[in-house]
Every structure is written in C-alpha cells, then in structure tokens.
Amino acid sequence: TLLRLVRALLAPDSVVLRYALRRASLVTAAVLLTVAIGRQRGYWVTITIVIILQPYTGATTLKALQRVAGTVLGGLLTAGLGALFHDPRAIMPLAFLFACLSVAFLPINYAAFSVFLTPTFVLLAEASVGDWHLAGVRIVNTLLGGGLALLGARLLWPSPESDRLPTYLASALRANRDYLRAGVELFGDRSESASRVLRAARREVGLAAANAEASFQRLLAEKSPGAGDVSPVMTFLVYSRRMTASIAALAITRHTIETKVVTLEEFLRIVDPVLNELIAAVAERRPPAGF
C-alpha cells in the first residue's frame, strides 16, 4: 500500500531517506561555501555533488573518480583548444563535436563522457562571455564538489553495505526454503494452478538472489584491498544458485516420474529445520548451531 511504502521510505534505516538528507545537506553546504569564499561559477560545485552523490558509498566513490579524472583531462584539452582557437565561428563546431562525443560515450564510460562534456560547456561559455580561463575554474570546482561528495558519503548518515548484505543473503535462502516447500507440497499435483504457484516461487527466488548479488557487488566497491575475506559470501551465492537449480529440477520431474510424496515430505521434515537455522545464523551473523 502507499502508506506502507511511505513508512518504509521514512524509516530511520531507509537508504532513500539517508540519501535525501545527505544530498540536501551537501548541496546546502556547497552553496554556503562557494558564496563565503566568493568562488566563481560556484554552481558547478553544486552540480558536481548532485551528479556524483549516489545512495551507496561505493557507487559514489566510483562516480567521483570518473568525474574528477574526466574533468581534469577535459579541462586540459579545453585549455589547449582555447590557446589555439579564439574565433566563435571555430568554437561552435568544436562544441558541437564534443557534445556529440559526450552523448555517444555516456552509455559506455562515464569518465570518457566527462572528458568531452567539459570542453562542451567551457567552450560555449567562453564563446558567450569571452572568458578564456574557465577550464581551470571548472577543474577546481569539480575537485571541490567531488571532495565534498566523498566526505559526505563517508560521514553523513553512512549506510555501509556490510550492514545490509546479511539481510539479502538470508532473504535468498528463505526464498529457496519456500520454493522447496512448494515443490514438495505440490509434487503430486500436475495442474496448471500448481505450476503457477511454483513459477511464482521461482521468481521470488530469482529476485532475492539478484538482490543478494547486487548487494555483494556494492560491498566489493566499498571494500578496500585487504579489508577482509569475501570468499564465504561468494560460496554462499554459488551454492544458493545450485540449490535453486536442484529445486527447479525437482519441480520439473513431477511431470515425468512417479515418486512417493511421503518420501519427499520426510526429506522436507529433515531439511526444513536446517534451513531455518541457516537463515537465522546468516541474518544474525553467527555460526549455525550444530555445524
């Protein structure tokens, strides 16, 4: 429901709420800072923060590195072009060319996009106001905005992926458990309604697995080299996928072979408590009991 969605978004641990507060605080701080120091074209600092800042720390770091590196290279390119071309009739075709290149590189590499975006804006601004020093201004403002974004991502309402990953892993295992339960309970039912239930359970497993793997990728982006061993998580994800494939094979064989349902129910009675303990252990970050 809409009310439930709003409550989830406004919860204290909501990634969206923390991201909104972080962005609002940093943009406000950037405006106050650029006004206080009299920074020329301070809005470039604000725009850099808005573009770089992402809901997740790892994504923010990657975006900041790409933006800063691309802007520095683009600024150097612009400075060289500004020394060679001063006629607006020559600048406009160059700006058109760089605009096309930036759009073409955007789906491929954000750093390359930033390289060609910088001369586009700077050349157009120089052509209109005759200011031939904007390349350096843009580089400094981008560095300032990138630094503020990185600082804010680390200090303002941080939401490390290591705190969220166990929940996603437990959800993936829980979805597999529910899929297994449905497969055993409906094994003797070959109707279309049973097939729909099993397909829905399989989709839930796929979504949960995709969320867990995405969380793991964000964790890798946040971790520094040598920060810890991630092989247990990789092992968990691999065997979770294998478990899903085994359950899917079980669901399919109900159409092709005759197996005593009572045998599968006995198997489920043995496996279900084990899976419940594993789910609790993963969610609570502790070793499973009895292993």
Side-chain angles (χ1 to χ4, degrees), residues 173-174 177 180-181 236 243 266-282 286-291:
L173 191 54
R174 188 178 299 110
R177 180 204 60 190
L180 177 61
R181 287 176 177 176
F236 181 97
M243 182 178 179
E266 180 63 26
F267 170 75
L268 182 62
R269 279 194 292 271
I270 297 173
V271 172
D272 201 63
V274 177
L275 292 177
N276 289 334
E277 172 58 24
L278 289 175
I279 292 169
V282 171
R286 61 172 175 81
F291 287 82

Side-chain angles (χ1 to χ4, degrees), residues 12-280:
D13 60 345
S14 168
V15 175
V16 176
L17 177 62
R18 294 185 179 194
Y19 176 53
L21 292 173
R22 194 180 304 124
R23 172 175 281 198
S25 300
L26 287 175
V27 167
T28 302
V31 172
L32 295 176
L33 177 62
T34 53
V35 171
I37 64 177
R39 187 68 196 164
Q40 184 183 5
R41 298 185 182 268
Y43 59 86
W44 277 345
V45 178
T46 306
I47 292 175
T48 299
I49 292 175
V50 171
I51 293 174
I52 287 178
L53 197 63
Q54 304 294 312
Y56 305 103
T57 304
T60 299
T61 302
L62 177 61
K63 198 89 168 184
L65 293 175
Q66 291 176 331
R67 180 79 176 187
V68 169
T71 300
V72 170
L73 292 176
L76 296 176
L77 176 61
T78 305
L81 293 173
L84 296 175
F85 302 98
H86 299 278
D87 190 340
R89 291 173 297 180
I91 291 176
M92 293 307 294
L94 289 173
F96 176 82
L97 174 63
F98 288 131
C100 294
L101 290 174
S102 63
V103 173
F105 276 103
L106 179 58
I108 302 173
N109 186 278
Y110 186 76
F113 163 78
S114 300
V115 170
F116 294 109
L117 182 68
T118 298
T120 302
F121 278 104
V122 174
L123 289 174
L124 289 175
E126 290 176 349
S128 60
V129 302
D131 188 350
W132 306 101
H133 305 286
L134 290 181
V137 173
R138 185 172 178 85
I139 291 175
V140 173
N141 286 356
T142 299
L143 290 173
L144 182 58
L148 288 173
L150 289 175
L151 192 63
R154 299 286 180 179
L155 300 180
L156 298 179
W157 303 283
S159 184
E161 198 62 37
S162 58
D163 292 343
R164 293 189 297 271
L165 179 60
T167 301
Y168 287 117
L169 296 178
S171 296
L173 191 54
R174 188 178 299 110
N176 266 316
R177 180 204 60 190
D178 295 341
Y179 187 26
L180 177 61
R181 287 176 177 176
V184 172
E185 292 171 0
L186 299 173
F187 190 84
D189 187 349
R190 299 184 179 182
S191 65
E192 178 59 29
S193 61
S195 296
R196 284 197 296 269
V197 171
L198 290 172
R199 286 196 295 267
R202 176 67 184 270
R203 283 194 295 270
E204 291 298 323
V205 173
L207 289 173
N211 287 335
E213 290 173 0
S215 178
F216 178 57
Q217 292 298 323
R218 292 194 294 267
L219 177 68
L220 292 179
E222 290 182 5
K223 290 176 69 68
S224 57
D229 186 16
V230 296
S231 58
V233 181
M234 297 174 65
T235 303
F236 181 97
L237 293 174
V238 169
Y239 280 93
S240 178
R241 287 288 190 181
R242 291 185 180 182
M243 182 178 179
T244 303
S246 299
I247 300 172
L250 175 66
I252 293 173
T253 55
R254 83 186 210 280
H255 294 287
T256 59
I257 63 173
E258 293 291 340
T259 301
K260 294 182 178 180
V261 177
V262 65
T263 304
L264 293 175
E265 290 176 347
E266 180 63 26
F267 170 75
L268 182 62
R269 279 194 292 271
I270 297 173
V271 172
D272 201 63
V274 177
L275 292 177
N276 289 334
E277 172 58 24
L278 289 175
I279 292 169

